[in-house]
Amino acid sequence: LDSIENYQGIFHTLNETANVFDLTINGYIRGGGYVGSLAGRNLGRISNITNYASITSESDVSGGNDTGGIVGFNSGILTNVMNYGSVISNSSYIGGIAGQSIGEINGAYNRANVTGFGNVGGIVGMNSGNITNAYNIGTITATDSVAGGITGTTNANIYYSFNSGDVVATLSVAGGITG
């Protein structure tokens, strides 16, 4: 998929009754905001997804926030999801699994480099939902501020998770687990 539009991925939005499982994704996906390999936005259940596609989002007047290896925005449940594809954006809320999450994440693994402007995380860029059993081994880079190995910023709990990747914030605020 190669577009400048928002909500890019195999699916635009997965609604509350969606249940997507057991997929491997390859290729290249580019969009504006709300970009992920599987969906731009998830409100349902996603499990056993592995992404190898590289993900790129580019900011413009409509924004380029919420970009992740699996989904751009999550308010559903992600279980056993893995990302091996690079995630690159010139905007904020960028993550190896989800750009922004207010949902639940159980078993999430990022093994790719993630680069964004601000609020960049190995698992989630801007997090407001619980994360359990997650790890990151990719290099996480905020070209401006706020980078973390698991989350850029979190307002919720992180359980049984670790980071062994490098974390870099060009201006300020970098942390091994959260910025």
Side-chain angles (χ1 to χ4, degrees), residues 43-169:
L43 305 142
R45 292 180 164 275
I46 293 173
S47 59
N48 302 322
I49 304 297
T50 302
N51 175 57
Y52 291 97
S54 59
I55 311 295
T56 302
S57 71
E58 298 175 5
S59 177
D60 63 10
V61 293
S62 65
N65 290 345
D66 292 8
T67 298
I70 306 297
V71 297
F73 177 85
N74 176 54
S75 64
I77 299 171
L78 304 180
T79 306
N80 296 327
V81 291
M82 289 181 276
N83 179 55
Y84 293 88
S86 63
V87 180
I88 300 170
S89 178
N90 64 354
S91 203
S92 298
Y93 301 169
I94 312 301
I97 300 299
Q100 184 173 183
S101 180
I102 61 172
E104 193 178 309
I105 299 176
N106 302 301
Y109 317 106
N110 179 58
R111 297 175 180 217
N113 295 341
V114 179
T115 302
F117 182 76
N119 278 300
V120 182
I123 303 300
V124 179
M126 173 58 94
N127 182 59
S128 297
N130 288 342
I131 296 174
T132 306
N133 297 324
Y135 74 77
N136 170 65
I137 62 173
T139 297
I140 309 305
T141 304
T143 59
D144 190 71
S145 301
V146 189
I150 301 299
T151 65
T153 297
T154 193
N155 300 307
N157 296 314
I158 299 171
Y159 301 103
Y160 309 109
S161 299
F162 74 89
N163 170 57
S164 64
D166 292 335
V167 180
V168 177

Side-chain angles (χ1 to χ4, degrees), residues 5-77:
E5 300 298 319
N6 293 334
Y7 297 99
Q8 295 299 309
I10 294 173
F11 300 100
H12 175 289
T13 298
L14 294 169
N15 71 23
E16 293 89 350
T17 61
N19 186 15
V20 180
F21 55 93
D22 299 340
L23 288 176
T24 298
I25 302 165
N26 292 290
Y28 172 78
I29 297 174
R30 181 175 75 97
Y34 296 92
V35 178
S37 63
L38 184 63
R41 183 172 60 166
N42 174 55
L43 305 142
R45 292 180 164 275
I46 293 173
S47 59
N48 302 322
I49 304 297
T50 302
N51 175 57
Y52 291 97
S54 59
I55 311 295
T56 302
S57 71
E58 298 175 5
S59 177
D60 63 10
V61 293
S62 65
N65 290 345
D66 292 8
T67 298
I70 306 297
V71 297
F73 177 85
N74 176 54
S75 64
I77 299 171

